[in-house]
Structures are given as C-alpha cells and as structure tokens.
C-alpha cells in the first residue's frame, strides 16, 4: 500500500514539473497567478538584430486589441439587430405579391407635409418616381410604397436628420409593418462607430441603401445603391470620358488616389497605409490630414509632408490621366469616388472589405472593377501590372457602359434600375438575364414582356460568331494572365421578310390614288410578307372589294386617331422588319428592295428615305430642325423608313405616358420621338438610302405631317445649306401651314431634350447607294436599274 502511494505521489510531482516546464509562461499570464491582470504585458521577443529592423509598433500598441473607438463585435451585432429585426425577410415572406396582380407594378409616394423638410437628393428621387411610367396617385392600385419622410441621412449629427421617424411611420395607415414599402438611405450611423443604425425600425420594408455591409444585406430582398452627391443630375447626366481615340488604354499614371486620410476612428487603417505604394512615378497616392475641426490635435509626423504633396496634383487631372483608381472605404464602405472613377473610365480598384456592391444582383462588376483586399494592399501594384492591355480596354469600355446605362443621373439610378430589379423578383420566369444587364444597350432597354430570347431583339444580331465570357464573380487580385471560361453564343439574323405598315388619314374616307399605287409597289417587292393599313379616319374603311388585289395578305386595322397609334405593338406584325409608310408616300419597288437589304445589315437602326437635321440655335437658345438638303442628317422620317418591330414595344411600354401624350398633342412629333428613342438606345445615327429625285405629288394638307413626308423634300427647300442655321420661312397659305409644323417640331425637340436631359440625336453624313449607282456602265450590270430612272 505504501509503495502504491509512493508511485502516485511521484507521478503527480512529475506531472506538475512537466506542466511548469512547458507551459509556465502561459500560466503566468493568468490573473489567477498574478492577481494583476490589467498590468500584465506580453513578452515580445528581443531580436539580436533589432537595430537593423524598423520599429512599426511598440509593445503598448500591440497590447491593445485595436482602435478603442471601433465597435466591438457585440456592439455591431446589437446595432444590427436594432435595425434588422426582420433579418430573415425574403420576397416570399415579407412581400405581398397579391397587391401587384391586379394593376401591375405601380409605385405610390406618400403625400408630403408642408412643414416636412426634404433634402435635394430625396426631392430628386421622389420627382423621378412621380414622372415615371410606374407611378400611380391611387394607393389602392399600388404594388410598392415610398415614404415622403426623408430617410437618406440618418446621422443624428447632420442638419438633415429627421427625428421621431418611428412615431411618424407607425401613424401611417398604409405602413402595415413596412410590408411592400421601400426605404432609401445614403448615410447611416454617426461618429465614431458609423454603424448601420437608421434610428428607427424598418420592419418588413425593402431597404435601398448605399454602403451596404454584406452581413446586414438580405439577399434577394434589399438592394445596394451607389452613394451619390446632391449635385448628381436629375436626368441625362454627363457623358463618360472615354473617347474612340483613347488608344492605347494605358495612360500616364497606372494607379492613383487623392483624398482624405483619417487619423483616428473607423476607416483610418486603409487610408493610412496607402502611402506605402506611392512611388511618385506611375503610382500616385496622396492623402491630406486637413479635415475636421480638430485635425491638428491628432496629426502625426507624416501630416505636414502629406499636405504639401497633396497640393501638387489636381484631382480631375489625375482621373483623366490614370488607368486605375483606388477606391478605398471611408468612414462608411462606399464613397463618391466610385461613380467618379466610372465616369472617368478609370478602372476602380476597390478596397472596402464587406461592401455589397451597387446592383450586384444584376451587374457583373468583375467586368468593370478590380476588387482588392484591404489587408493585401502591397500586392495591388504588381497584380494590376499583370492585366493585359486588351483586358484593360475592355474594363474601361464596360465602365462607360455602366455609367451611361445605370449611374449617370438620379433617374437612371432610382427609376429604371431599382424598379426593374424589384419587378424581376416578382416575375422570375420573365426576368432579365445577367447577360442582358451587362451588355449594350443594357437590361433596362430589353423588355422581358416582349421576349426572353436574345434573337428577338435588334441589338444582338452582331454577336454572331463571338464568344462571350462566362458570368464571373468580381475580379480578384490573383495570378497574372488569368482568363475566364468562354461560352459560345450563336447569334441569329433578322427575318428575310418585312411588314408594310401604312397609315391612312384621308378625311374623305376613300382610297386615294397615291395609296393604291403605294400598295401595288410595296406588294411587288420580293421581300414583302404582308401589308397592314392603320385606318385612322373618322369614316369606316372601304369594303374589301375596293382594295387592290395583292399577292400578299392585306389587313385593315382600325385606329383610334392618335398619332402614337402607328407605333403600337400590334400582334398582327409578324416580321422583325417594319416598313412604316404614309398614304401619300411615293416609292418604287426597287427603292423598297434596296432599303430592306440595307436594313438587314443594320437591324438596330432606322433606315429610310426623307431626312431632317437638328441643330442648336444659339440666338434663340432652343433646338431646331431643317429639311434642307445638306451633308448632315440625324432624323429619318417614319413616312418611309424601315426599323425593327421591337421599337413599337419600347415606344409604348418603355416611354412614360407623358411623352406619348406630347406626341398626340403636337402634330409632326411622333417620328421625331421614334428617332430620339432609337438614338438614345443605340447611340447611333439613322441611315439614309438612295431615292429617286422626283417631285412630291400635290396632296391635301395632313395634320401631323411635316416637310418632305413623301419621298423628297419640297422644291423650295432643296438648296444646300449649313445644318446649323435655321431654315428659311415660306410665305403664303402653304407656308403658314409649314410654319405651324415647323414651330411644333421645334417645340417637340425642345421638350424631348428636356425630358431626356440631353439631346440623344446623333448626326451623320452617310448615305448608302447600290453598287455602280450612277456609274457610266450598262444598265444590265446594275442590280437596281430603276433607281436611276426619272
């Protein structure tokens, strides 16, 4: 028994000796042994070559777990739960789909109270909603509700902070716990932590927020939006800075940054480290400590030199002359320089860990931005140097596309992009593909109600034979020369037939000789599939026996008399190509055939005969047009023009009702609006084709038609004239009627430019003629000999 106790004692003693020998250093750190936990210091190693190593931190600094002003994980969780009490919300659980079934996707904005202040940015958002095609003044017909309370700035130190929001929204009878509501926010939290605390419970509302943290983002429910300034334009917006002659893609500087450096608080770590990559040659990273009232109290040894270097460079010049722009986080995850870099075609290099990028649900940012890691800052220069120039140019082109399509104005950010994402969630089987969102002309202009097949749109025919990169996540800083997998994309060609669409408005209600000749000439075309006549007269159309016999089907459609009727998406139109005609247009079969062959090569454009040219009148300070024969053109009148039938759907469903009402109220405006729409979509001018030089027939005056409707401009306006000067006025009765049309078209141009925010029309000096046209060769060698006959 004694021996047994002796062995147990020896075993226990050996165990304690081993424990103290191998783990004594760790045991001495416990307060249980020292009794002075707060005074314990870590024993950092003493290097033998310490004099050769630069000291970056003292042991006292390493003892601290971080900036004391930063929130702890527990504080962040508490702030998150205070805002996102319904963190499990999804469209299926927190959205009432039944409200959208009867009246479709309609948006209602709460009435504004007189004494309720609104920021400039929130006023722009509400104005965008109320002028959109989705707006409804009837809350019973609404699918989505937007508060009139300004919730953009939720920093309680800001002068635009609205107090007692919780009490106000709970008093709204339509609030219903936030269900089917959309709340906007640009700034959340305040000094020093800048948490995402909004100061009120959003309930089951969808949150459209800038600087969205991924841990707080509810996928498929919330929407991340970009941070934009109060000076961001309401509509239109400035164009991007990348021009066609910007080759090679690499510029004077490879990588630049110029901005504030925070000395304390959240966001200071990333910006304080940017000076490590500055070389003063092709990488310029400039920071300043001069911000805030008490910056001098916290300034460090670098501040004076940084402030001097900061003043040596102009920010706009750096944007213009740099290939990549660093976009680090600020106090919040997002910053204004993100949109500034996009506009400048300066590829954003994002250093904002945890940022849910704007519209990432639809936009593939891997094609336009490089997403870095804040902890791997020193790897960024070598990583971006590895990017091939071809890919750099592709990045720059994508930045310009995204800027123009989704971010150049408040209307584009909050009107189409936001609404279309929510609308796609409601009808996932008819939602836009990621390809449509990230390819010209953009997801907003590809209506899924028209088709979900790419070959049905006029924009993607030229993709035939190309290979497209597979959808990828954001471009990461990885190995050089990495490539994305390629997916084959088989394009298609537009249909080989067209539909002739003739608008008849004769007040007599009978068939005139011009329309009979027009039907005969068009039906004789080898490419004509059918003829549709839009009967817009008060009297009923003649019986079928009065219409000419044709080799193709002829259908009469009863119109309502509105000018916008001619661009309604009629189901009777079965072909991709539409030949729009007026009843008094004079065309030959050869002209029709050649114009259709040209259109098949340019299916996204308007191809036709009579043309106009717009100009800016600096004296009168408004837009004007001229139908004089000049070297420039920007409008092809739809009195004789080919275009894709998809533009009927865009005209009726994409444009707001106010523009269609404008067309119906102003004569001779519908063809201008169609040209403006196509130019805004394609960024390309129309194409004029050859027509016979013959006089226009004498026809009764028509309401809503302008000069040169039927084939050629009037004889009095044939003399060439510079397109930037106003046309001469014509005297007499006909001149008075022409003057009214001229005035209405000018008014139309001004109002359309005001609505779009810019003038979308693009001028061109191109006219396409057949091979051997007007050449002194035998007529037998020419494909369209009748074009040259008087």
């Amino acid at each position: 028994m004694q021996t047994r106790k002796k062995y147990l004692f020896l075993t226990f003693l050996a165990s304690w000796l081993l424990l103290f020998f191998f783990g004594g250093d760790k045991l001495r750190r416990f307060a249980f042994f020292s009794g002075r936990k707060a005074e314990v210091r870590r024993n950092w190693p003493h290097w033998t070559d310490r004099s050769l190593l630069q000291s970056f931190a003292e042991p006292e600094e390493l003892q601290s777990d971080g900036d004391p002003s930063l929130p702890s994980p527990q504080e962040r969780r508490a702030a998150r739960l205070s805002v996102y009490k319904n963190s499990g919300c999804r469209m299926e659980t927190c959205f009432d789909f039944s409200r959208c079934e009867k009246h479709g996707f309609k948006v209602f904005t709460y009435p504004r109270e007189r004494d309720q202040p609104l920021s400039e940015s929130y006023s722009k958002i509400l104005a965008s909603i109320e002028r959109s095609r989705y707006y409804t003044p009837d809350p019973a017909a609404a699918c989505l509700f937007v508060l009139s309370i300004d919730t953009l700035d939720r920093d309680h130190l800001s002068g635009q902070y609205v107090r007692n929001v919780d009490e106000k929204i709970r008093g709204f009878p339509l609030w219903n716990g936030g269900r089917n509501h959309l709340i906007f926010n640009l700034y959340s939290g305040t000094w020093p932590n800048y948490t995402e605390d909004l100061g009120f419970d959003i309930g089951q509302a969808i949150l459209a927020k800038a600087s969205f943290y991924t841990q707080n983002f509810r996928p498929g429910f919330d929407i991340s939006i970009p941070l934009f300034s109060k000076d961001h334009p309401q509509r239109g917006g400035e164009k991007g800075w990348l021009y066609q002659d910007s080759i090679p893609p690499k510029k004077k500087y490879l990588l630049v940054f110029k901005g504030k450096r925070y000395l304390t608080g959240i966001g200071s770590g990333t910006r304080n480290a940017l000076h490590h990559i500055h070389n003063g040659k092709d990488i310029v990273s400039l920071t300043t400590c001069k911000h805030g009232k008490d910056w001098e109290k916290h300034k460090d040894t670098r501040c004076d030199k940084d402030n001097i270097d900061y003043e040596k460079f102009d920010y706009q010049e750096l944007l213009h002359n740099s290939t990549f722009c660093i976009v680090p986080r600020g106090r919040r995850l997002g910053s204004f320089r993100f949109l500034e870099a996009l506009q400048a075609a300066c590829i954003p290099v994002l250093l904002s860990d945890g940022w849910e990028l704007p519209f990432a649900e639809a936009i593939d940012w891997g094609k336009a931005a490089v997403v870095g890691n804040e902890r791997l800052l020193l790897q960024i220069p070598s990583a971006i140097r590895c990017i091939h120039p071809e890919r750099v140019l592709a990045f720059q082109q994508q930045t310009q596309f995204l800027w123009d399509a989704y971010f150049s104005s408040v209307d584009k950010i909050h009107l189409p992009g936001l609404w279309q994402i929510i609308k796609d969630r409601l009808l996932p089987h008819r939602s836009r593909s990621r390809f449509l969102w990230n390819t010209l002309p953009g997801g907003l202009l590809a209506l899924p109600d028209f088709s979900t097949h790419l070959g049905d749109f006029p924009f993607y025919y030229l993709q035939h034979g190309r290979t497209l990169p597979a959808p990828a996540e954001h471009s990461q800083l990885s190995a050089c020369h990495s490539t994305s997998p390629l997916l084959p994309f088989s394009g298609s060609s537009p249909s080989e037939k067209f539909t002739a669409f003739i608008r008849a408005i004769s007040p007599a209600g009978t068939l005139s000789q011009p329309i009979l000749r027009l039907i005969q000439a068009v039906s004789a075309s080898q490419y004509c599939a059918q003829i549709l006549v839009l009967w817009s007269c008060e009297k009923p159309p003649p019986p079928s026996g009065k219409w000419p016999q044709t080799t193709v089907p002829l259908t009469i459609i009863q119109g309502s008399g509105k000018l916008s009727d001619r661009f309604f998406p009629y189901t009777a139109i079965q072909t991709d190509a539409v030949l729009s005609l007026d009843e008094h247009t004079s065309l030959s079969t050869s002209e029709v055939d050649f114009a259709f062959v040209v259109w098949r090569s340019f299916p996204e454009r308007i191809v036709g005969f009579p043309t106009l040219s717009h100009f800016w009148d600096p004296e009168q300070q408004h837009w004007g047009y001229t139908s004089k024969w000049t070297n420039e053109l920007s409008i092809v009148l739809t009195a004789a023009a080919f275009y894709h039938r998809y533009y009927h759907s865009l005209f009726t469903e994409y444009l707001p009702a106010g523009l269609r009402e404008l067309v119906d109220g102003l004569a001779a405006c519908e063809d201008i609006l169609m040209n403006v729409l196509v130019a805004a979509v394609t960024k390309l001018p129309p194409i004029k084709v050859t027509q016979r030089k013959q006089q226009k027939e004498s026809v009764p005056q028509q309401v809503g038609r302008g000069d040169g409707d039927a084939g050629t401009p009037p004889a009095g306006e044939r003399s060439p004239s510079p397109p930037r000067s106003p046309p001469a006025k014509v005297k007499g009765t006909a001149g008075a009627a022409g003057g009214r049309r001229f005035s209405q078209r000018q008014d139309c141009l001004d109002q359309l430019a005001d609505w779009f925010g810019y003038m979308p029309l693009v001028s061109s000096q191109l006219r396409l003629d057949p091979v051997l046209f007007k050449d002194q060769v035998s007529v037998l060698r020419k494909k369209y000999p009748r074009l040259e006959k008087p």
Side-chain angles (χ1 to χ4, degrees):
M1 186 70 182
Q2 294 296 331
T3 304
R4 184 177 179 182
K5 292 181 178 180
K6 181 179 179 180
Y7 280 117
L8 288 174
F9 175 76
L10 291 175
T11 303
F12 178 76
L13 181 61
S15 300
W16 272 102
L17 289 174
L18 291 172
L19 180 63
F20 273 93
F21 181 77
F22 290 104
D25 183 67
K26 294 182 179 180
L27 289 174
R28 283 193 297 271
R29 297 180 190 178
F30 289 119
F32 175 77
F33 292 94
S34 64
R36 300 169 61 187
K37 179 178 179 181
E39 299 179 5
V40 173
R41 292 178 52 179
R42 297 187 176 100
N43 292 327
W44 297 97
H46 297 274
W47 306 101
T48 57
D49 56 350
R50 182 174 181 178
S51 60
L52 302 177
L53 295 175
Q54 182 181 359
S55 177
F56 290 96
E58 296 297 329
E60 290 81 0
E61 299 178 61
L62 297 174
Q63 181 71 21
S64 173
D65 291 333
D67 193 325
S69 65
L70 300 181
S72 66
Q74 183 178 1
E75 291 173 335
R76 288 197 296 266
R77 285 194 298 270
R80 177 176 180 270
L81 292 175
S82 66
V83 180
Y84 304 96
K85 295 180 180 179
N86 294 279
S87 58
C89 267
R90 297 295 182 267
M91 295 295 290
E92 296 79 10
T93 58
C94 296
F95 196 90
D96 185 4
F97 287 78
S98 63
R99 295 197 63 96
C100 312
E101 293 175 354
K102 185 176 181 180
H103 300 281
F105 186 77
K106 296 295 182 180
V107 183
F108 172 78
T109 58
Y110 279 67
R112 307 176 198 177
E113 300 178 5
R114 293 183 179 179
D115 58 343
Q116 182 173 295
L118 287 180
S119 64
E120 186 176 349
S121 297
Y122 201 63
S123 297
K124 291 179 179 178
I125 293 176
L126 294 180
S128 297
I129 298 173
E130 292 171 359
R131 66 194 294 270
S132 74
R133 66 183 186 277
Y134 298 120
Y135 173 71
T136 177
D138 181 12
C143 169
L144 196 65
F145 300 86
V146 176
L147 298 176
S148 60
I149 301 175
D150 189 347
T151 57
L152 291 186
D153 195 342
R154 299 308 297 161
D155 184 344
H156 65 77
L157 298 179
S158 171
Q160 296 179 340
Y161 180 81
V162 179
R163 304 184 183 279
N164 304 320
V165 174
D166 255 330
E167 299 178 8
K168 295 178 180 179
I169 61 178
R170 280 199 295 266
F172 294 150
L174 298 173
W175 175 243
N176 191 25
R179 207 171 183 86
N180 287 57
H181 280 68
L182 178 65
I183 293 176
F184 292 93
N185 176 253
L186 294 181
Y187 309 97
S188 61
T190 188
W191 170 267
N193 298 334
Y194 291 95
T195 60
E196 297 196 359
D197 182 13
L198 301 182
F200 67 97
D201 181 14
I202 64 173
Q204 297 180 350
I206 299 173
L207 184 58
K209 186 180 183 304
S211 305
F212 228 133
Y213 190 46
T214 52
Q215 290 189 359
N216 299 336
F217 182 76
R218 296 171 289 183
F221 192 73
D222 292 329
I223 300 176
S224 178
I225 61 176
L227 184 65
F228 62 94
S229 68
K230 64 178 182 179
D231 298 324
H232 207 59
Q234 173 79 53
R235 51 186 178 270
E238 298 180 4
K239 294 183 179 181
W241 296 357
L242 183 66
Y243 301 100
Q244 293 180 351
D245 55 356
S246 301
I247 302 295
K250 290 190 176 180
K251 305 177 184 178
K252 179 179 179 181
Y253 302 108
L254 174 69
L255 182 66
V256 300
F257 171 79
K258 183 179 180 182
K260 299 176 183 178
R261 177 165 69 88
Y262 305 118
L263 299 173
T264 59
I266 191 169
S268 59
T270 301
R271 297 200 176 198
N272 281 341
L274 290 177
H275 73 282
H276 288 295
I277 62 174
H278 173 79
N279 62 16
K281 298 177 181 178
D282 63 342
I283 299 180
V284 177
S285 178
L286 306 170
T287 57
T288 180
C289 304
K290 291 183 179 180
H291 61 89
K293 298 179 180 179
D294 55 350
W295 68 272
E296 292 185 347
K297 297 180 181 178
H298 303 283
K299 77 173 186 177
D300 52 25
T301 56
R302 283 175 30 218
C303 277
D304 292 334
K305 183 179 183 304
D306 287 351
N307 293 339
I308 294 175
D309 293 340
Y310 185 86
E311 301 297 333
K312 294 180 180 179
F313 292 85
D314 179 72
Y315 178 64
Q316 296 296 324
E317 181 182 352
L318 290 176
L319 283 179
H320 273 282
N321 294 284
S322 180
T323 306
F324 294 89
C325 286
I326 300 177
V327 183
R329 64 161 300 150
R331 293 302 192 188
R332 300 172 180 89
L333 295 176
S335 67
F336 295 143
R337 69 185 65 247
F338 179 63
L339 291 185
E340 293 169 352
L342 283 182
Q343 181 185 7
C346 190
I347 304 169
V349 178
L350 306 178
L351 293 175
S352 186
D353 295 351
W355 182 21
E356 179 71 19
L357 295 181
F359 301 152
E361 181 177 340
I363 296 177
D364 183 3
W365 286 108
K367 296 180 179 180
V370 178
V371 180
N373 190 309
E374 294 182 49
R375 295 171 295 179
L376 303 177
L377 172 65
L378 299 182
Q379 296 183 12
I380 288 179
S382 59
I384 62 176
R385 291 184 195 276
C386 294
I387 302 178
H388 195 275
E390 291 183 1
R391 193 178 181 196
V392 170
L393 181 58
F395 269 109
Q396 292 174 335
Q397 291 172 335
Q398 191 70 4
T399 62
Q400 300 302 274
F401 159 65
L402 294 178
W403 165 259
D404 180 73
Y406 306 118
F407 300 113
S408 61
S409 67
V410 176
D411 275 6
K412 291 182 180 179
I413 294 175
H414 295 98
L415 173 59
L418 201 65
W419 304 142
Q420 295 302 337
I421 289 177
I422 298 176
K423 191 176 179 181
D424 284 353
R425 293 174 181 176
L426 300 178
L427 300 171
H429 61 287
R430 299 172 65 182
S431 62
R432 296 161 179 80
S433 67
R434 200 169 175 85
F435 173 82
L436 294 177
W437 281 101
N438 294 278
T439 308
L440 285 168
L444 307 180
L445 296 168
L447 303 180
D449 293 339
F450 175 77
S451 177
T452 56
H453 182 253
L454 297 180
D456 293 335
F457 296 93
F459 320 120
Y460 310 111
Y461 294 121
L462 298 181
Q463 300 286 351
H464 180 70
R466 295 184 183 178
T467 53
L468 303 177
E473 297 301 325
H474 313 312
S475 292
Q476 301 292 337
L477 297 178
S478 57
C480 296
H481 310 301
S482 61
T483 58
S484 301
L486 297 178
L487 296 178
F489 176 70
S490 57
S492 57
S493 299
S495 60
E496 299 180 357
K497 298 287 185 178
F498 68 83
T499 297
F501 192 81
I502 304 173
R503 180 168 176 261
I505 56 173
S506 296
T510 59
L511 296 176
S512 60
Q513 289 298 320
I515 192 174
L516 295 177
R517 289 197 299 267
L518 181 62
I519 292 176
Q520 293 290 354
V522 172
S523 64
S525 171
Q526 58 180 318
Y527 305 112
C528 183
Q530 60 177 340
I531 298 177
L532 303 179
V533 178
L534 178 63
W535 193 260
S536 299
C537 309
E538 295 182 359
K539 297 183 178 180
S544 57
K546 296 292 184 179
W547 294 90
Q549 297 296 320
T550 61
T551 57
V552 296
L554 191 150
T555 306
I556 310 300
I557 300 176
Q558 184 65 51
S560 62
K562 295 182 178 179
L563 293 174
S564 58
D565 282 351
R566 74 181 309 163
F567 299 128
F568 185 82
Y570 297 99
T571 57
I573 302 176
Q574 299 297 321
T575 60
D576 292 334
V578 177
L579 173 58
S580 177
L581 299 165
D582 278 356
E583 62 177 330
H584 294 285
T585 300
S586 177
L587 289 176
S588 68
T589 304
S590 296
E591 289 175 304
V592 172
D593 287 347
F594 176 68
F596 178 68
V597 171
V598 172
W599 176 86
R600 294 196 76 234
S601 298
F602 304 94
E604 76 280 11
R605 304 204 210 182
I606 299 178
V607 177
F609 301 92
T611 61
L612 302 176
S613 179
H614 76 290
F615 62 88
W616 174 253
D617 190 341
E619 295 182 359
Q620 300 296 328
Q621 291 295 305
H622 63 66
W623 291 99
Y625 83 96
T626 176
S627 58
K628 293 183 178 181
W629 286 14
T630 66
N631 290 330
E632 288 200 7
L633 63 99
S634 56
I635 299 173
V636 169
L637 298 179
T638 54
F642 280 99
Y643 53 80
H644 199 283
R645 67 187 177 102
Y646 175 64
Y647 292 124
H648 279 217
S649 296
L650 273 183
F651 189 95
T652 304
E653 300 172 14
Y654 175 77
L655 296 177
L659 283 185
R660 297 196 299 274
E661 293 173 359
L662 171 67
V663 165
D664 295 330
L666 286 176
C669 186
E670 79 279 6
D671 46 7
I672 296 180
L673 177 55
M674 176 58 79
N675 277 266
V676 168
L677 173 63
V678 175
V681 171
T682 64
K683 308 296 187 294
L684 296 170
I687 294 178
K688 178 178 175 58
V689 292
T690 306
Q691 65 184 122
R692 293 175 300 164
K693 302 300 185 291
Q694 65 178 22
Q695 295 291 332
K696 176 181 176 182
E697 296 185 27
S698 177
V699 298
Q701 179 183 332
Q702 304 174 50
V703 178
R705 301 311 314 154
D707 305 334
D709 286 344
T712 59
E717 295 188 358
R718 284 190 178 181
S719 58
S721 173
R724 297 291 178 251
S725 60
K729 296 182 180 179
V730 183
K731 298 181 180 180
T733 306
R740 285 194 298 271
R741 292 193 295 271
F742 173 76
S743 176
Q744 288 177 334
R745 275 190 167 148
Q746 281 192 325
D747 190 20
C748 175
L749 280 172
D750 286 333
Q751 294 196 46
L752 293 181
D754 177 68
W755 189 90
F756 280 90
Y758 70 107
M759 174 51 72
L761 292 175
V762 182
S763 296
S764 171
Q765 295 182 349
L766 173 68
R767 189 189 80 182
L768 296 183
D769 297 333
V771 177
L772 302 179
F773 180 70
K774 292 293 185 180
D775 287 354
Q776 299 299 322
V777 297
S778 173
V779 177
L780 299 177
R781 298 178 58 189
K782 300 183 178 183
K783 188 174 182 179
Y784 303 97
R786 292 181 58 84
L787 287 179
E788 301 180 30
K789 293 183 178 181

